[in-house]
PDB file of all heavy atoms in Angstrom:
ATOM      1  N   ASN A  92     -13.449  20.802 -24.140  1.00  0.00           N
ATOM      2  CA  ASN A  92     -12.797  22.105 -24.191  1.00  0.00           C
ATOM      3  C   ASN A  92     -11.310  22.040 -23.851  1.00  0.00           C
ATOM      4  O   ASN A  92     -10.461  22.472 -24.638  1.00  0.00           O
ATOM      5  CB  ASN A  92     -13.485  23.066 -23.223  1.00  0.00           C
ATOM      6  CG  ASN A  92     -14.967  23.182 -23.474  1.00  0.00           C
ATOM      7  OD1 ASN A  92     -15.445  22.973 -24.575  1.00  0.00           O
ATOM      8  ND2 ASN A  92     -15.717  23.503 -22.426  1.00  0.00           N
ATOM      9  N   HIS A  93     -11.004  21.514 -22.675  1.00  0.00           N
ATOM     10  CA  HIS A  93      -9.614  21.482 -22.245  1.00  0.00           C
ATOM     11  C   HIS A  93      -8.736  20.655 -23.194  1.00  0.00           C
ATOM     12  O   HIS A  93      -7.673  21.122 -23.615  1.00  0.00           O
ATOM     13  CB  HIS A  93      -9.518  20.933 -20.817  1.00  0.00           C
ATOM     14  CG  HIS A  93     -10.026  21.855 -19.760  1.00  0.00           C
ATOM     15  ND1 HIS A  93     -11.353  22.213 -19.662  1.00  0.00           N
ATOM     16  CD2 HIS A  93      -9.398  22.503 -18.748  1.00  0.00           C
ATOM     17  CE1 HIS A  93     -11.509  23.030 -18.632  1.00  0.00           C
ATOM     18  NE2 HIS A  93     -10.342  23.227 -18.063  1.00  0.00           N
ATOM     19  N   PRO A  94      -9.153  19.437 -23.566  1.00  0.00           N
ATOM     20  CA  PRO A  94      -8.310  18.674 -24.499  1.00  0.00           C
ATOM     21  C   PRO A  94      -8.110  19.384 -25.835  1.00  0.00           C
ATOM     22  O   PRO A  94      -7.028  19.306 -26.423  1.00  0.00           O
ATOM     23  CB  PRO A  94      -9.089  17.358 -24.683  1.00  0.00           C
ATOM     24  CG  PRO A  94      -9.943  17.253 -23.475  1.00  0.00           C
ATOM     25  CD  PRO A  94     -10.316  18.649 -23.116  1.00  0.00           C
ATOM     26  N   SER A  95      -9.131  20.080 -26.320  1.00  0.00           N
ATOM     27  CA  SER A  95      -9.030  20.722 -27.632  1.00  0.00           C
ATOM     28  C   SER A  95      -8.122  21.944 -27.598  1.00  0.00           C
ATOM     29  O   SER A  95      -7.518  22.301 -28.621  1.00  0.00           O
ATOM     30  CB  SER A  95     -10.426  21.123 -28.134  1.00  0.00           C
ATOM     31  OG  SER A  95     -11.241  19.982 -28.266  1.00  0.00           O
ATOM     32  N   PHE A  96      -8.016  22.600 -26.460  1.00  0.00           N
ATOM     33  CA  PHE A  96      -7.091  23.718 -26.347  1.00  0.00           C
ATOM     34  C   PHE A  96      -5.648  23.213 -26.323  1.00  0.00           C
ATOM     35  O   PHE A  96      -4.754  23.823 -26.907  1.00  0.00           O
ATOM     36  CB  PHE A  96      -7.383  24.532 -25.087  1.00  0.00           C
ATOM     37  CG  PHE A  96      -6.527  25.755 -24.939  1.00  0.00           C
ATOM     38  CD1 PHE A  96      -6.787  26.890 -25.692  1.00  0.00           C
ATOM     39  CD2 PHE A  96      -5.463  25.778 -24.058  1.00  0.00           C
ATOM     40  CE1 PHE A  96      -5.995  28.018 -25.565  1.00  0.00           C
ATOM     41  CE2 PHE A  96      -4.666  26.902 -23.922  1.00  0.00           C
ATOM     42  CZ  PHE A  96      -4.936  28.035 -24.682  1.00  0.00           C
ATOM     43  N   ILE A  97      -5.440  22.071 -25.673  1.00  0.00           N
ATOM     44  CA  ILE A  97      -4.090  21.520 -25.561  1.00  0.00           C
ATOM     45  C   ILE A  97      -3.654  20.867 -26.868  1.00  0.00           C
ATOM     46  O   ILE A  97      -2.535  21.074 -27.340  1.00  0.00           O
ATOM     47  CB  ILE A  97      -4.042  20.486 -24.414  1.00  0.00           C
ATOM     48  CG1 ILE A  97      -4.318  21.177 -23.075  1.00  0.00           C
ATOM     49  CG2 ILE A  97      -2.692  19.790 -24.369  1.00  0.00           C
ATOM     50  CD1 ILE A  97      -4.544  20.201 -21.942  1.00  0.00           C
ATOM     51  N   GLU A  98      -4.525  20.073 -27.468  1.00  0.00           N
ATOM     52  CA  GLU A  98      -4.201  19.361 -28.718  1.00  0.00           C
ATOM     53  C   GLU A  98      -5.444  19.399 -29.597  1.00  0.00           C
ATOM     54  O   GLU A  98      -6.308  18.529 -29.505  1.00  0.00           O
ATOM     55  CB  GLU A  98      -3.792  17.920 -28.388  1.00  0.00           C
ATOM     56  CG  GLU A  98      -2.784  17.325 -29.383  1.00  0.00           C
ATOM     57  CD  GLU A  98      -3.324  17.273 -30.805  1.00  0.00           C
ATOM     58  OE1 GLU A  98      -4.282  16.518 -31.029  1.00  0.00           O
ATOM     59  OE2 GLU A  98      -2.796  17.979 -31.685  1.00  0.00           O
ATOM     60  N   PRO A  99      -5.593  20.430 -30.431  1.00  0.00           N
ATOM     61  CA  PRO A  99      -6.887  20.692 -31.072  1.00  0.00           C
ATOM     62  C   PRO A  99      -7.415  19.572 -31.952  1.00  0.00           C
ATOM     63  O   PRO A  99      -8.624  19.308 -31.939  1.00  0.00           O
ATOM     64  CB  PRO A  99      -6.643  21.981 -31.870  1.00  0.00           C
ATOM     65  CG  PRO A  99      -5.164  22.158 -31.925  1.00  0.00           C
ATOM     66  CD  PRO A  99      -4.601  21.483 -30.726  1.00  0.00           C
ATOM     67  N   TYR A 100      -6.558  18.914 -32.711  1.00  0.00           N
ATOM     68  CA  TYR A 100      -7.083  17.873 -33.605  1.00  0.00           C
ATOM     69  C   TYR A 100      -7.650  16.708 -32.804  1.00  0.00           C
ATOM     70  O   TYR A 100      -8.829  16.351 -32.936  1.00  0.00           O
ATOM     71  CB  TYR A 100      -6.003  17.374 -34.571  1.00  0.00           C
ATOM     72  CG  TYR A 100      -6.555  16.369 -35.571  1.00  0.00           C
ATOM     73  CD1 TYR A 100      -6.988  16.788 -36.822  1.00  0.00           C
ATOM     74  CD2 TYR A 100      -6.680  15.013 -35.248  1.00  0.00           C
ATOM     75  CE1 TYR A 100      -7.529  15.874 -37.737  1.00  0.00           C
ATOM     76  CE2 TYR A 100      -7.220  14.099 -36.136  1.00  0.00           C
ATOM     77  CZ  TYR A 100      -7.637  14.536 -37.378  1.00  0.00           C
ATOM     78  OH  TYR A 100      -8.180  13.635 -38.263  1.00  0.00           O
ATOM     79  N   GLN A 101      -6.828  16.094 -31.956  1.00  0.00           N
ATOM     80  CA  GLN A 101      -7.296  14.929 -31.216  1.00  0.00           C
ATOM     81  C   GLN A 101      -8.338  15.306 -30.171  1.00  0.00           C
ATOM     82  O   GLN A 101      -9.267  14.538 -29.893  1.00  0.00           O
ATOM     83  CB  GLN A 101      -6.116  14.208 -30.552  1.00  0.00           C
ATOM     84  CG  GLN A 101      -5.208  13.481 -31.527  1.00  0.00           C
ATOM     85  CD  GLN A 101      -5.900  12.338 -32.260  1.00  0.00           C
ATOM     86  OE1 GLN A 101      -7.009  11.924 -31.905  1.00  0.00           O
ATOM     87  NE2 GLN A 101      -5.256  11.820 -33.295  1.00  0.00           N
ATOM     88  N   GLY A 102      -8.216  16.485 -29.575  1.00  0.00           N
ATOM     89  CA  GLY A 102      -9.213  16.915 -28.605  1.00  0.00           C
ATOM     90  C   GLY A 102     -10.593  17.002 -29.216  1.00  0.00           C
ATOM     91  O   GLY A 102     -11.585  16.516 -28.648  1.00  0.00           O
ATOM     92  N   ALA A 103     -10.683  17.619 -30.397  1.00  0.00           N
ATOM     93  CA  ALA A 103     -11.978  17.741 -31.062  1.00  0.00           C
ATOM     94  C   ALA A 103     -12.447  16.403 -31.615  1.00  0.00           C
ATOM     95  O   ALA A 103     -13.635  16.050 -31.513  1.00  0.00           O
ATOM     96  CB  ALA A 103     -11.882  18.777 -32.183  1.00  0.00           C
ATOM     97  N   ALA A 104     -11.533  15.640 -32.196  1.00  0.00           N
ATOM     98  CA  ALA A 104     -11.900  14.345 -32.779  1.00  0.00           C
ATOM     99  C   ALA A 104     -12.463  13.407 -31.720  1.00  0.00           C
ATOM    100  O   ALA A 104     -13.512  12.771 -31.917  1.00  0.00           O
ATOM    101  CB  ALA A 104     -10.684  13.711 -33.456  1.00  0.00           C
ATOM    102  N   THR A 105     -11.802  13.314 -30.581  1.00  0.00           N
ATOM    103  CA  THR A 105     -12.278  12.398 -29.548  1.00  0.00           C
ATOM    104  C   THR A 105     -13.530  12.937 -28.859  1.00  0.00           C
ATOM    105  O   THR A 105     -14.300  12.160 -28.286  1.00  0.00           O
ATOM    106  CB  THR A 105     -11.174  12.104 -28.523  1.00  0.00           C
ATOM    107  OG1 THR A 105     -10.642  13.336 -28.012  1.00  0.00           O
ATOM    108  CG2 THR A 105     -10.049  11.306 -29.174  1.00  0.00           C
TER     109      THR A 105
END
Side-chain angles (χ1 to χ4, degrees):
N92 305 334
H93 289 66
S95 299
F96 184 77
I97 296 169
E98 210 300 294
Y100 184 94
Q101 289 296 348
T105 53

